Amino acid sequence: MTDSPDASPHDDAVRAETVRRLERAMGALGTAAVAQMEQRLSWFRSMSAEDRSWVGLVAQSGVAAFVDWFKNPHRGRPAIAVEVFGTAPRELIRSVSLQQTVEMVRVVIDVVESRVSELAAPGGEQQLREAMLRYSREVAFSTARIYARAAEARGAWDARLEALIVDALLHGNREEGLQTWGASLGWSRIPVIAIAGLLGDQDAEETLEDLRSHARRAGHDVLAGVQGDRVVVVVGVNEKNASDPMGAATPLAGLFGPGPVVVGPPIYDLSAANQSARAAVDGLRAAPGWPDAPRPVAAEDLLPERALNGDPAARRTLIEEVYQPLRDAGTPLLDTLSVYLEHASSLESTARMLFVHPNTVRYRLSRVAELTGYVPTDGRGSFVLRVALTLGRLADTP
Protein backbone atom coordinates (compact mmCIF):
# COMPACT_ATOMS: atom_id res chain seq x y z
CA MET A 1 0.00 0.00 0.00
CA THR A 2 1.13 3.57 -0.53
CA ASP A 3 0.85 4.18 3.25
CA SER A 4 3.58 1.64 4.07
CA PRO A 5 6.89 2.76 5.60
CA ASP A 6 8.66 1.54 2.44
CA ALA A 7 6.98 4.13 0.22
CA SER A 8 9.26 5.56 -2.47
CA PRO A 9 10.57 9.15 -2.46
CA HIS A 10 8.15 9.85 -5.31
CA ASP A 11 5.23 8.66 -3.18
CA ASP A 12 6.42 10.85 -0.33
CA ALA A 13 6.59 13.88 -2.62
CA VAL A 14 3.12 13.18 -3.96
CA ARG A 15 1.84 12.82 -0.40
CA ALA A 16 3.46 16.08 0.67
CA GLU A 17 1.78 17.95 -2.19
CA THR A 18 -1.59 16.33 -1.36
CA VAL A 19 -1.17 17.38 2.27
CA ARG A 20 -0.57 21.00 1.22
CA ARG A 21 -3.74 20.95 -0.88
CA LEU A 22 -5.74 19.37 1.93
CA GLU A 23 -4.50 21.93 4.46
CA ARG A 24 -5.56 24.77 2.20
CA ALA A 25 -9.02 23.19 1.72
CA MET A 26 -9.72 22.15 5.33
CA GLY A 27 -12.02 25.04 6.16
CA ALA A 28 -13.93 24.70 2.91
CA LEU A 29 -14.30 20.95 3.37
CA GLY A 30 -15.73 21.35 6.86
CA THR A 31 -18.16 24.02 5.68
CA ALA A 32 -19.21 21.87 2.71
CA ALA A 33 -19.77 18.87 5.00
CA VAL A 34 -22.07 20.87 7.28
CA ALA A 35 -23.97 22.21 4.24
CA GLN A 36 -24.44 18.66 2.97
CA MET A 37 -25.74 17.58 6.38
CA GLU A 38 -28.26 20.40 6.30
CA GLN A 39 -29.41 19.21 2.89
CA ARG A 40 -29.38 15.43 3.38
CA LEU A 41 -30.06 14.77 7.07
CA SER A 42 -33.48 15.74 8.40
CA TRP A 43 -32.47 14.92 12.00
CA PHE A 44 -29.61 17.42 11.72
CA ARG A 45 -31.97 20.18 10.57
CA SER A 46 -34.27 19.53 13.54
CA MET A 47 -31.48 19.81 16.13
CA SER A 48 -30.98 22.84 18.33
CA ALA A 49 -28.56 25.50 17.12
CA GLU A 50 -26.13 24.57 19.90
CA ASP A 51 -26.09 20.88 18.98
CA ARG A 52 -25.73 21.70 15.27
CA SER A 53 -22.72 23.84 16.08
CA TRP A 54 -21.15 20.97 18.05
CA VAL A 55 -21.79 18.54 15.20
CA GLY A 56 -20.22 21.03 12.80
CA LEU A 57 -17.19 21.26 15.07
CA VAL A 58 -16.91 17.47 15.10
CA ALA A 59 -17.01 17.48 11.29
CA GLN A 60 -14.29 20.13 11.13
CA SER A 61 -12.20 18.18 13.66
CA GLY A 62 -12.67 15.01 11.64
CA VAL A 63 -11.28 16.65 8.53
CA ALA A 64 -8.38 18.21 10.44
CA ALA A 65 -7.56 14.91 12.15
CA PHE A 66 -7.56 13.11 8.81
CA VAL A 67 -5.19 15.65 7.28
CA ASP A 68 -2.86 15.40 10.27
CA TRP A 69 -2.89 11.61 10.15
CA PHE A 70 -2.39 11.54 6.37
CA LYS A 71 0.55 13.88 6.80
CA ASN A 72 2.22 11.45 9.24
CA PRO A 73 1.50 7.94 7.91
CA HIS A 74 4.03 6.28 10.22
CA ARG A 75 2.05 7.13 13.37
CA GLY A 76 -0.09 3.98 13.04
CA ARG A 77 -3.78 4.01 13.95
CA PRO A 78 -5.29 7.49 14.37
CA ALA A 79 -6.54 8.50 17.84
CA ILE A 80 -10.08 9.14 16.65
CA ALA A 81 -11.75 9.35 20.05
CA VAL A 82 -9.49 12.16 21.23
CA GLU A 83 -8.86 14.05 18.01
CA VAL A 84 -12.41 14.00 16.65
CA PHE A 85 -14.99 13.27 19.33
CA GLY A 86 -12.97 14.84 22.11
CA THR A 87 -14.02 18.26 20.82
CA ALA A 88 -17.70 17.69 21.66
CA PRO A 89 -19.35 17.57 25.10
CA ARG A 90 -20.34 14.19 26.53
CA GLU A 91 -24.02 15.18 26.34
CA LEU A 92 -23.85 15.16 22.53
CA ILE A 93 -23.94 11.36 22.60
CA ARG A 94 -27.49 11.65 23.99
CA SER A 95 -28.53 14.01 21.18
CA VAL A 96 -26.98 12.05 18.31
CA SER A 97 -27.55 8.32 17.98
CA LEU A 98 -24.99 5.85 16.70
CA GLN A 99 -26.85 5.54 13.40
CA GLN A 100 -26.93 9.31 13.01
CA THR A 101 -23.20 9.52 13.71
CA VAL A 102 -22.55 6.95 11.00
CA GLU A 103 -24.64 9.04 8.58
CA MET A 104 -22.69 12.14 9.56
CA VAL A 105 -19.34 10.42 8.94
CA ARG A 106 -20.63 9.16 5.59
CA VAL A 107 -21.47 12.72 4.54
CA VAL A 108 -18.00 13.97 5.49
CA ILE A 109 -16.35 11.13 3.56
CA ASP A 110 -18.59 11.75 0.55
CA VAL A 111 -17.63 15.43 0.51
CA VAL A 112 -13.91 14.62 0.52
CA GLU A 113 -14.33 11.82 -2.03
CA SER A 114 -16.18 14.11 -4.39
CA ARG A 115 -13.12 16.38 -4.48
CA VAL A 116 -10.35 13.80 -4.70
CA SER A 117 -9.34 14.93 -8.18
CA GLU A 118 -8.71 18.51 -7.02
CA LEU A 119 -7.34 17.64 -3.56
CA ALA A 120 -4.85 14.96 -4.58
CA ALA A 121 -1.56 15.80 -6.23
CA PRO A 122 -1.18 14.39 -9.77
CA GLY A 123 -0.76 10.63 -9.40
CA GLY A 124 -1.90 10.68 -5.76
CA GLU A 125 -5.59 9.99 -6.26
CA GLN A 126 -5.38 6.29 -5.35
CA GLN A 127 -3.14 7.08 -2.39
CA LEU A 128 -5.71 9.53 -1.02
CA ARG A 129 -8.65 7.18 -1.61
CA GLU A 130 -6.93 4.31 0.21
CA ALA A 131 -6.07 6.59 3.12
CA MET A 132 -9.67 7.79 3.33
CA LEU A 133 -10.95 4.21 3.28
CA ARG A 134 -8.68 3.26 6.17
CA TYR A 135 -9.48 6.40 8.11
CA SER A 136 -13.27 6.01 7.69
CA ARG A 137 -12.98 2.44 8.93
CA GLU A 138 -11.12 3.64 12.04
CA VAL A 139 -13.78 6.31 12.59
CA ALA A 140 -16.49 3.63 12.41
CA PHE A 141 -14.70 1.42 14.93
CA SER A 142 -13.99 4.30 17.29
CA THR A 143 -17.58 5.52 17.06
CA ALA A 144 -18.90 2.09 17.97
CA ARG A 145 -16.53 1.90 20.94
CA ILE A 146 -17.54 5.34 22.18
CA TYR A 147 -21.25 4.52 22.02
CA ALA A 148 -20.67 1.12 23.60
CA ARG A 149 -18.86 2.74 26.53
CA ALA A 150 -21.60 5.34 26.84
CA ALA A 151 -24.29 2.63 26.78
CA GLU A 152 -22.40 0.63 29.39
CA ALA A 153 -22.05 3.67 31.62
CA ARG A 154 -25.69 4.60 31.09
CA GLY A 155 -26.76 1.03 31.85
CA ALA A 156 -24.72 0.99 35.06
CA TRP A 157 -26.19 4.36 36.08
CA ASP A 158 -29.73 3.18 35.31
CA ALA A 159 -29.18 0.03 37.37
CA ARG A 160 -27.90 2.08 40.32
CA LEU A 161 -30.80 4.50 40.02
CA GLU A 162 -33.29 1.62 39.83
CA ALA A 163 -31.81 0.09 42.98
CA LEU A 164 -32.03 3.48 44.71
CA ILE A 165 -35.70 3.90 43.74
CA VAL A 166 -36.61 0.38 44.84
CA ASP A 167 -34.83 0.94 48.16
CA ALA A 168 -36.67 4.25 48.64
CA LEU A 169 -39.99 2.58 47.89
CA LEU A 170 -39.41 -0.16 50.42
CA HIS A 171 -38.17 2.13 53.17
CA GLY A 172 -40.64 4.94 52.54
CA ASN A 173 -38.09 7.75 52.33
CA ARG A 174 -37.33 10.32 49.62
CA GLU A 175 -40.80 9.87 48.18
CA GLU A 176 -40.77 13.44 46.91
CA GLY A 177 -37.90 12.54 44.55
CA LEU A 178 -39.39 9.37 43.11
CA GLN A 179 -41.28 11.14 40.31
CA THR A 180 -38.11 12.92 39.19
CA TRP A 181 -36.01 9.79 39.36
CA GLY A 182 -38.62 7.83 37.45
CA ALA A 183 -38.78 10.50 34.76
CA SER A 184 -35.01 10.26 34.29
CA LEU A 185 -35.53 6.60 33.41
CA GLY A 186 -38.33 7.41 30.95
CA TRP A 187 -41.11 6.28 33.30
CA SER A 188 -44.57 7.28 32.10
CA ARG A 189 -47.11 4.48 32.63
CA ILE A 190 -49.74 3.92 35.30
CA PRO A 191 -51.08 2.08 37.20
CA VAL A 192 -47.97 1.01 39.09
CA ILE A 193 -47.70 -2.40 40.72
CA ALA A 194 -44.91 -3.94 42.76
CA ILE A 195 -44.03 -7.63 42.48
CA ALA A 196 -41.95 -9.39 45.13
CA GLY A 197 -40.43 -12.85 44.97
CA LEU A 198 -37.38 -14.81 46.01
CA LEU A 199 -34.10 -14.99 44.14
CA GLY A 200 -33.29 -18.57 45.12
CA ASP A 201 -30.07 -19.87 43.63
CA GLN A 202 -30.46 -17.82 40.45
CA ASP A 203 -27.89 -15.23 39.39
CA ALA A 204 -29.07 -11.80 40.53
CA GLU A 205 -27.97 -9.82 37.46
CA GLU A 206 -29.36 -12.36 35.00
CA THR A 207 -32.66 -12.49 36.86
CA LEU A 208 -33.01 -8.70 36.90
CA GLU A 209 -32.11 -8.44 33.22
CA ASP A 210 -34.64 -11.16 32.30
CA LEU A 211 -37.37 -9.40 34.28
CA ARG A 212 -36.56 -6.04 32.70
CA SER A 213 -36.42 -7.37 29.14
CA HIS A 214 -39.66 -9.38 29.44
CA ALA A 215 -41.51 -6.43 31.00
CA ARG A 216 -40.27 -3.98 28.38
CA ARG A 217 -41.13 -6.31 25.51
CA ALA A 218 -44.66 -6.39 26.91
CA GLY A 219 -44.74 -2.57 26.78
CA HIS A 220 -44.41 -1.90 30.51
CA ASP A 221 -42.15 0.53 32.34
CA VAL A 222 -40.03 -1.37 34.83
CA LEU A 223 -37.68 -0.90 37.77
CA ALA A 224 -36.01 -3.87 39.43
CA GLY A 225 -33.73 -4.44 42.38
CA VAL A 226 -32.45 -7.14 44.71
CA GLN A 227 -32.85 -6.78 48.47
CA GLY A 228 -30.90 -9.64 50.06
CA ASP A 229 -32.55 -12.84 48.83
CA ARG A 230 -35.60 -10.92 47.69
CA VAL A 231 -36.31 -9.53 44.21
CA VAL A 232 -38.62 -6.52 43.91
CA VAL A 233 -39.93 -5.34 40.54
CA VAL A 234 -41.98 -2.18 40.07
CA VAL A 235 -44.03 -2.21 36.88
CA GLY A 236 -45.75 0.67 35.12
CA VAL A 237 -48.53 -1.27 33.40
CA ASN A 238 -49.19 -0.63 29.72
CA GLU A 239 -52.59 0.52 28.47
CA LYS A 240 -53.59 -2.98 27.35
CA ASN A 241 -53.28 -4.38 30.88
CA ALA A 242 -54.24 -1.22 32.79
CA SER A 243 -57.57 -2.73 33.88
CA ASP A 244 -55.95 -6.07 34.75
CA PRO A 245 -52.65 -5.47 36.58
CA MET A 246 -52.49 -9.10 37.71
CA GLY A 247 -52.50 -10.07 34.04
CA ALA A 248 -49.35 -7.99 33.60
CA ALA A 249 -47.68 -9.67 36.57
CA THR A 250 -48.50 -13.27 35.69
CA PRO A 251 -46.03 -13.68 32.78
CA LEU A 252 -43.22 -12.35 34.99
CA ALA A 253 -43.84 -14.74 37.89
CA GLY A 254 -41.94 -17.59 36.26
CA LEU A 255 -38.75 -15.53 36.16
CA PHE A 256 -38.44 -15.40 39.95
CA GLY A 257 -36.83 -18.14 41.98
CA PRO A 258 -38.86 -20.93 43.66
CA GLY A 259 -41.46 -19.88 46.21
CA PRO A 260 -44.32 -17.39 46.36
CA VAL A 261 -44.61 -14.33 44.14
CA VAL A 262 -46.74 -11.52 45.57
CA VAL A 263 -48.27 -8.58 43.69
CA GLY A 264 -49.01 -5.33 45.48
CA PRO A 265 -52.18 -3.31 44.79
CA PRO A 266 -52.24 -0.99 41.75
CA ILE A 267 -51.23 2.61 42.51
CA TYR A 268 -51.84 5.53 40.18
CA ASP A 269 -48.84 7.67 41.10
CA LEU A 270 -45.19 6.58 41.13
CA SER A 271 -44.47 8.75 44.16
CA ALA A 272 -46.99 6.66 46.13
CA ALA A 273 -45.83 3.32 44.76
CA ASN A 274 -44.22 2.54 48.11
CA GLN A 275 -47.69 1.42 49.24
CA SER A 276 -47.69 -1.32 46.62
CA ALA A 277 -44.07 -2.24 47.27
CA ARG A 278 -44.59 -2.55 51.03
CA ALA A 279 -47.72 -4.63 50.58
CA ALA A 280 -45.92 -6.97 48.16
CA VAL A 281 -42.95 -7.45 50.49
CA ASP A 282 -45.15 -7.88 53.58
CA GLY A 283 -47.19 -10.40 51.61
CA LEU A 284 -44.03 -12.27 50.62
CA ARG A 285 -43.02 -12.55 54.28
CA ALA A 286 -46.46 -13.88 55.23
CA ALA A 287 -47.03 -16.11 52.17
CA PRO A 288 -45.67 -19.31 53.84
CA GLY A 289 -48.82 -19.18 56.00
CA TRP A 290 -50.86 -20.07 52.89
CA PRO A 291 -48.98 -22.91 51.16
CA ASP A 292 -51.66 -23.36 48.50
CA ALA A 293 -51.70 -19.71 47.44
CA PRO A 294 -51.67 -19.15 43.66
CA ARG A 295 -48.50 -17.87 42.00
CA PRO A 296 -48.62 -14.97 41.67
CA VAL A 297 -50.95 -14.01 44.48
CA ALA A 298 -52.29 -10.55 45.24
CA ALA A 299 -51.04 -9.03 48.47
CA GLU A 300 -54.67 -8.21 49.32
CA ASP A 301 -55.48 -11.94 49.23
CA LEU A 302 -52.91 -12.48 51.98
CA LEU A 303 -54.48 -10.04 54.45
CA PRO A 304 -55.09 -12.58 57.24
CA GLU A 305 -51.59 -14.06 56.99
CA ARG A 306 -50.08 -10.58 56.91
CA ALA A 307 -52.16 -9.53 59.93
CA LEU A 308 -51.11 -12.61 61.89
CA ASN A 309 -47.52 -11.88 60.92
CA GLY A 310 -47.70 -8.44 62.50
CA ASP A 311 -48.47 -6.24 59.47
CA PRO A 312 -50.36 -3.19 60.87
CA ALA A 313 -51.63 -2.16 57.43
CA ALA A 314 -53.26 -5.55 56.91
CA ARG A 315 -54.81 -5.46 60.38
CA ARG A 316 -56.20 -2.02 59.74
CA THR A 317 -57.65 -3.08 56.39
CA LEU A 318 -59.39 -6.13 57.84
CA ILE A 319 -60.86 -4.07 60.67
CA GLU A 320 -61.98 -1.12 58.55
CA GLU A 321 -63.15 -2.98 55.45
CA VAL A 322 -64.47 -6.24 56.91
CA TYR A 323 -65.27 -6.00 60.62
CA GLN A 324 -66.59 -2.45 60.88
CA PRO A 325 -69.10 -2.74 57.98
CA LEU A 326 -70.52 -5.85 59.68
CA ARG A 327 -70.63 -4.19 63.08
CA ASP A 328 -72.31 -1.12 61.65
CA ALA A 329 -74.88 -3.29 59.85
CA GLY A 330 -76.30 -4.42 63.18
CA THR A 331 -76.01 -7.13 65.79
CA PRO A 332 -78.02 -9.85 63.96
CA LEU A 333 -75.59 -9.91 61.04
CA LEU A 334 -72.46 -9.99 63.18
CA ASP A 335 -73.93 -12.57 65.61
CA THR A 336 -75.06 -14.82 62.78
CA LEU A 337 -71.61 -14.84 61.21
CA SER A 338 -69.94 -15.43 64.57
CA VAL A 339 -72.17 -18.39 65.44
CA TYR A 340 -71.85 -19.81 61.92
CA LEU A 341 -68.07 -19.76 62.11
CA GLU A 342 -68.05 -21.24 65.65
CA HIS A 343 -70.31 -24.13 64.68
CA ALA A 344 -68.29 -25.64 61.82
CA SER A 345 -70.09 -23.60 59.16
CA SER A 346 -73.34 -25.47 59.65
CA LEU A 347 -76.53 -23.69 58.60
CA GLU A 348 -78.77 -25.92 60.69
CA SER A 349 -76.69 -25.59 63.86
CA THR A 350 -76.52 -21.84 63.44
CA ALA A 351 -80.29 -21.62 62.91
CA ARG A 352 -80.97 -23.67 66.07
CA MET A 353 -78.59 -21.56 68.15
CA LEU A 354 -80.21 -18.32 66.98
CA PHE A 355 -83.80 -19.66 66.98
CA VAL A 356 -84.30 -18.63 63.34
CA HIS A 357 -85.07 -20.46 60.10
CA PRO A 358 -82.07 -21.73 58.03
CA ASN A 359 -83.19 -19.47 55.17
CA THR A 360 -82.73 -16.49 57.49
CA VAL A 361 -79.19 -17.65 58.12
CA ARG A 362 -78.62 -18.00 54.37
CA TYR A 363 -79.90 -14.47 53.78
CA ARG A 364 -77.74 -12.98 56.50
CA LEU A 365 -74.65 -14.80 55.22
CA SER A 366 -75.33 -13.49 51.72
CA ARG A 367 -75.48 -9.98 53.19
CA VAL A 368 -72.10 -10.61 54.83
CA ALA A 369 -70.68 -11.51 51.43
CA GLU A 370 -72.17 -8.37 49.86
CA LEU A 371 -70.75 -6.10 52.55
CA THR A 372 -67.27 -7.59 52.79
CA GLY A 373 -66.58 -9.34 49.50
CA TYR A 374 -65.83 -12.59 51.37
CA VAL A 375 -68.20 -15.58 51.21
CA PRO A 376 -68.65 -17.24 54.60
CA THR A 377 -69.46 -20.62 53.05
CA ASP A 378 -66.12 -20.62 51.20
CA GLY A 379 -63.17 -22.09 53.10
CA ARG A 380 -60.82 -19.20 52.34
CA GLY A 381 -63.54 -16.60 52.85
CA SER A 382 -64.49 -17.99 56.26
CA PHE A 383 -60.84 -17.85 57.35
CA VAL A 384 -60.52 -14.19 56.35
CA LEU A 385 -63.78 -13.34 58.14
CA ARG A 386 -62.74 -15.20 61.29
CA VAL A 387 -59.45 -13.30 61.52
CA ALA A 388 -61.19 -9.97 60.80
CA LEU A 389 -63.78 -10.60 63.53
CA THR A 390 -61.09 -11.48 66.05
CA LEU A 391 -59.04 -8.37 65.24
CA GLY A 392 -62.14 -6.17 65.32
CA ARG A 393 -63.22 -7.42 68.71
CA LEU A 394 -59.73 -6.88 70.09
CA ALA A 395 -59.73 -3.35 68.68
CA ASP A 396 -63.12 -2.63 70.27
CA THR A 397 -61.98 -3.85 73.68
CA PRO A 398 -61.23 -0.88 75.96
Side-chain angles (χ1 to χ4, degrees):
M1 286 183 60
T2 55
D3 284 347
S4 70
D6 299 327
S8 67
H10 173 72
D11 291 336
D12 291 339
V14 170
R15 179 184 296 275
E17 176 58 28
T18 301
V19 167
R20 283 192 290 273
R21 296 186 180 198
L22 287 170
E23 288 176 336
R24 288 196 299 268
M26 275 197 303
L29 289 173
T31 302
V34 173
Q36 281 294 305
M37 288 181 210
E38 287 273 8
Q39 181 178 338
R40 293 166 51 178
L41 307 178
S42 58
W43 59 264
F44 180 78
R45 293 193 297 271
S46 64
M47 293 179 75
S48 68
E50 181 180 9
D51 283 344
R52 282 201 307 274
S53 68
W54 280 118
V55 171
L57 183 58
V58 169
Q60 295 275 5
S61 299
V63 173
F66 168 71
V67 173
D68 184 63
W69 173 76
F70 184 76
K71 182 179 181 179
N72 302 281
H74 307 306
R75 287 192 328 178
R77 299 178 66 178
I80 304 296
V82 175
E83 296 175 348
V84 180
F85 297 104
T87 60
R90 194 177 298 271
E91 290 76 10
L92 189 63
I93 294 177
R94 299 180 185 176
S95 302
V96 183
S97 69
L98 176 59
Q99 180 60 41
Q100 290 170 338
T101 304
V102 171
E103 293 174 356
M104 180 183 74
V105 171
R106 183 69 261 174
V107 169
V108 175
I109 297 301
D110 286 348
V111 167
V112 178
E113 282 184 340
S114 68
R115 303 189 181 188
V116 165
S117 58
E118 63 183 86
L119 293 172
E125 291 84 357
Q126 186 62 25
Q127 185 185 61
L128 181 58
R129 287 194 178 94
E130 289 179 357
M132 287 177 55
L133 178 62
R134 181 181 171 191
Y135 188 80
S136 62
R137 183 181 61 193
E138 294 295 338
V139 169
F141 288 155
S142 293
T143 301
R145 285 195 296 271
I146 289 169
Y147 276 84
R149 285 197 298 268
E152 182 179 359
R154 178 66 179 175
W157 165 250
D158 286 354
R160 288 194 296 271
L161 185 54
E162 283 189 32
L164 183 63
I165 294 176
V166 170
D167 183 74
L169 288 173
L170 292 178
H171 293 90
N173 55 2
R174 305 175 184 170
E175 294 178 14
E176 69 281 354
L178 291 175
Q179 208 71 40
T180 301
W181 293 345
S184 70
L185 292 172
W187 190 285
S188 62
R189 298 188 185 279
I190 53 173
V192 178
I193 58 171
I195 310 171
L198 298 175
L199 182 63
D201 58 0
Q202 299 180 157
D203 180 78
E205 290 303 319
E206 289 182 5
T207 299
L208 292 179
E209 188 54 38
D210 286 345
L211 285 165
R212 291 186 188 108
S213 61
H214 277 72
R216 286 167 182 157
R217 281 201 298 272
H220 308 305
D221 290 332
V222 61
L223 305 171
V226 173
Q227 303 273 325
D229 63 346
R230 192 171 59 213
V231 180
V232 179
V233 181
V234 183
V235 177
V237 181
N238 66 21
E239 294 180 1
K240 179 181 177 181
N241 296 107
S243 60
D244 180 27
M246 187 62 74
T250 300
L252 302 177
L255 301 175
F256 290 83
V261 175
V262 182
V263 182
I267 303 295
Y268 290 82
D269 184 354
L270 178 61
S271 64
N274 64 301
Q275 299 170 28
S276 185
R278 289 174 184 169
V281 171
D282 288 337
L284 184 63
R285 293 194 186 101
W290 186 14
D292 296 328
R295 176 184 159 113
V297 60
E300 299 302 295
D301 291 339
L302 288 162
L303 284 173
E305 287 80 11
R306 289 167 53 194
L308 292 172
N309 200 43
D311 179 357
R315 291 185 177 185
R316 186 168 55 252
T317 299
L318 287 172
I319 293 171
E320 294 176 354
E321 298 184 9
V322 179
Y323 173 74
Q324 289 179 357
L326 294 175
R327 183 195 61 189
D328 296 344
T331 301
L333 211 59
L334 197 59
D335 286 349
T336 299
L337 176 61
S338 179
V339 172
Y340 178 78
L341 294 175
E342 293 295 335
H343 286 79
S345 301
S346 169
L347 287 172
E348 291 74 14
S349 296
T350 303
R352 285 195 299 270
M353 288 295 297
L354 296 174
F355 302 101
V356 296
H357 193 277
N359 285 341
T360 301
V361 175
R362 287 192 182 91
Y363 170 75
R364 291 176 180 176
L365 294 181
S366 68
R367 285 287 297 141
V368 169
E370 289 175 7
L371 286 171
T372 66
Y374 296 101
V375 180
T377 56
D378 172 74
R380 180 68 185 172
S382 66
F383 174 62
V384 176
L385 291 165
R386 181 183 292 274
V387 173
L389 259 61
T390 302
L391 293 173
R393 287 168 178 153
L394 290 173
D396 281 349
T397 301

